[in-house]
Amino acid sequence: MEPSPIRKGGAGPFAGEQKQVNLVSGQYAWNQPGNSPQPAIAATEERQLQIWLTPHGFLKAALENNATAKKGSGGTVVSFTLGKFQVNGTIDSQNMVTRTETWLPNPVLGDMPVETDYSGYKDFNGVKFPTAIVQKQGGFPVLNLSVTDVRANPGLVLSVAAAVQAAKAPPVTVTSEKMADGVWFLAGGTHNSVLVEFPDYAVMIESPLNDARAAAVLDQARKLIPEKPIKYLINTHNHFDHAGGIRYFVAEGATVITQQANKPFYEQAWKAPRALDPDRLSKNPKKASFITFKDKYVLSDAGRSLEIYHVDGDNHNADISIVYLPKEKILVEADDFTPAPPNAPPTGPRAHAATVFLYGYVQKLNLDVHTIAPLHGFVVPFSVMQKVATTEVSSLSR
Ligand SMILES: [Zn+2]
């Protein structure tokens, strides 16, 4: 549930209670919060690995994969490799698995440590199981479980639906929509980018997700503006789904423009090794160059002008920025307002609060906005955002 007061943060905001049921069986992964299974192909590798990171899964995998053992700080450290993944586990003097660790590839953090601590072992009808489970990814807690009941072999039947078996990873597609002379909205997936043409170069606003998305977005840009280099990549904020493709543009020689708080974070994160899933920048190493600003940055050249504003106090992310094209009266924004498709479920309180805040901020900045180019969803007139921002959330969620 959304806590009150509402927290900042990524992921889809929601109203009411959200239940997640995430499954994996063999090579198939899917989500099934309701009756119909939704394939989750991209999650398969991690979900398989998560089984081997549990105490009982770890012991089974160690037995089957020629594990080695050595003395470590908290007991005996048992290690094995599964494909490209190394898995280590600590077994204490009571013969309990107290910790497992591995590394998963992440577009921002590279080979990202995944550490899980198990404590408070209790005997549940003959099965010893930890009552406290904490998992950290990249050093931050992502899961904190208190276990109150354990049942061994409860007869779970997992049948993989035909739709899940037949599902294929969707191809990366990039569509382009001309918004004004020299301004294109690049969509076709879950995240958008905006391409702006200057007299001697081009500017890309946002490179989301990962290398694959970035490569497809850059390809589209080269088709639209074949003769000019992408000189600048503007990054709106540091949430991983909006920052995972920045490195690709660095490898292509673009300078990154972002709010000043983001630079030290990216520089630190990008130092990590990337052996599990090498990206373009790790294969063609290059020092990233940044232009940073505190409140505002203006890019102006021969009649084309683009303004970047830090949204101070933003509800969604502290270091987020918006981009405004004054001549075209276009506002590019991420996550504070995502136009809802027809018949969409009601907007959650977190999304609504972010839209209200951004709407007020745009007025405070005195920006004359006609069109919203959102980095999720589709292009809409500013009046659509205005309507959401000035409607009570209670009536939106009915
Ligand atoms: Zn975000």
Side-chain angles (χ1 to χ4, degrees):
M1 296 184 74
E2 290 282 6
S4 179
I6 294 156
R7 283 184 195 161
K8 294 177 202 254
F14 51 90
E17 189 175 310
Q18 190 185 56
K19 185 177 181 183
Q20 295 190 0
V21 181
N22 300 342
L23 302 120
V24 64
S25 179
Q27 69 202 85
Y28 302 108
W30 70 101
N31 303 335
Q32 194 153 1
N35 285 330
S36 56
Q38 303 150 4
I41 296 166
T44 308
E45 194 172 58
E46 177 180 351
R47 289 186 191 171
Q48 288 172 335
L49 200 57
Q50 289 282 5
I51 293 175
W52 308 124
L53 296 178
T54 66
H56 301 79
F58 174 78
L59 293 174
K60 283 194 169 187
L63 283 169
E64 286 173 17
N65 290 283
N66 302 312
T68 58
K70 61 173 194 230
K71 279 274 156 249
S73 58
T76 304
V77 176
V78 173
S79 302
F80 59 88
T81 54
L82 269 167
K84 62 183 176 183
F85 298 108
Q86 181 177 347
V87 182
N88 304 324
T90 304
I91 298 174
D92 71 4
S93 57
Q94 309 298 306
N95 286 328
M96 295 298 153
V97 177
T98 54
R99 179 185 180 81
T100 59
E101 65 172 352
T102 189
W103 291 261
L104 280 170
N106 179 282
V108 176
L109 297 181
D111 298 347
M112 175 184 72
V114 178
E115 305 152 298
T116 315
D117 285 310
Y118 301 99
S119 59
Y121 271 90
K122 265 175 60 180
D123 193 303
F124 294 90
N125 293 316
V127 180
K128 291 204 167 51
F129 204 85
T131 54
I133 300 175
V134 176
Q135 183 167 97
K136 289 180 182 172
Q137 296 192 355
F140 287 87
V142 295
L143 178 74
N144 188 342
L145 290 182
S146 298
V147 178
T148 54
D149 188 24
V150 174
R151 277 167 287 165
N153 305 320
L156 173 69
V157 180
L158 273 192
S159 54
V160 184
V164 171
Q165 294 194 32
K168 299 258 185 306
V172 180
T173 52
V174 180
T175 59
S176 74
E177 172 185 347
K178 188 171 178 180
M179 296 187 69
D181 275 348
V183 183
W184 290 271
F185 187 70
L186 306 181
T190 55
H191 294 63
N192 310 320
S193 300
V194 176
L195 177 67
V196 183
E197 183 176 9
F198 278 72
D200 301 318
Y201 54 83
V203 175
M204 186 67 75
I205 305 170
E206 211 79 318
S207 182
L209 297 176
N210 49 35
D211 259 28
R213 181 76 200 166
V217 166
L218 186 69
D219 263 12
Q220 184 64 264
R222 293 227 162 104
K223 281 180 199 147
L224 295 165
I225 314 176
E227 72 283 10
K228 295 177 188 175
I230 309 277
K231 191 171 179 186
Y232 300 110
L233 183 275
I234 299 172
N235 161 245
T236 61
H237 68 305
N238 50 37
H239 286 168
F240 284 16
D241 60 324
H242 290 261
I246 304 175
R247 285 171 54 88
Y248 191 93
F249 279 83
V250 171
E252 291 288 326
T255 294
V256 180
I257 305 180
T258 192
Q259 210 275 341
Q260 62 186 22
N262 298 321
K263 180 186 170 192
F265 169 67
Y266 293 140
E267 286 182 329
Q268 180 63 34
W270 294 353
K271 281 181 193 160
R274 282 162 201 270
L276 291 170
D277 188 13
D279 65 5
R280 190 175 182 84
L281 186 58
S282 63
K283 289 185 240 169
N284 309 275
K286 189 176 284 186
K287 190 173 168 12
S289 61
F290 286 88
I291 291 174
T292 63
F293 59 93
K294 181 171 178 287
D295 300 316
K296 181 181 180 183
Y297 186 80
V298 178
L299 204 57
S300 191
D301 220 335
R304 165 76 71 198
S305 185
L306 177 158
E307 303 169 359
I308 312 170
Y309 296 91
H310 173 219
V311 185
D312 193 20
D314 186 80
N315 283 50
H316 176 80
N317 178 270
D319 310 311
I320 199 167
S321 296
I322 51 175
V323 182
Y324 177 61
L325 302 176
K327 198 173 84 185
E328 297 79 7
K329 303 187 193 302
I330 293 170
L331 180 73
V332 183
E333 59 82 32
D335 295 352
D336 278 332
F337 171 61
T338 296
N343 307 317
T347 302
R350 178 147 48 102
H352 186 258
T355 303
V356 170
F357 185 86
L358 181 63
Y359 179 68
Y361 206 84
V362 166
Q363 288 178 314
K364 203 171 90 181
L365 291 172
N366 255 318
L367 305 182
D368 181 15
V369 180
H370 282 194
T371 309
I372 300 276
L375 297 178
H376 296 282
F378 41 88
V379 173
V380 290
F382 184 59
S383 58
V384 176
M385 178 180 163
Q386 185 172 36
K387 189 175 173 212
V388 173
T390 54
T391 307
E392 287 293 315
V393 67
S394 56
S395 60
L396 284 172
S397 37
R398 256 198 294 275

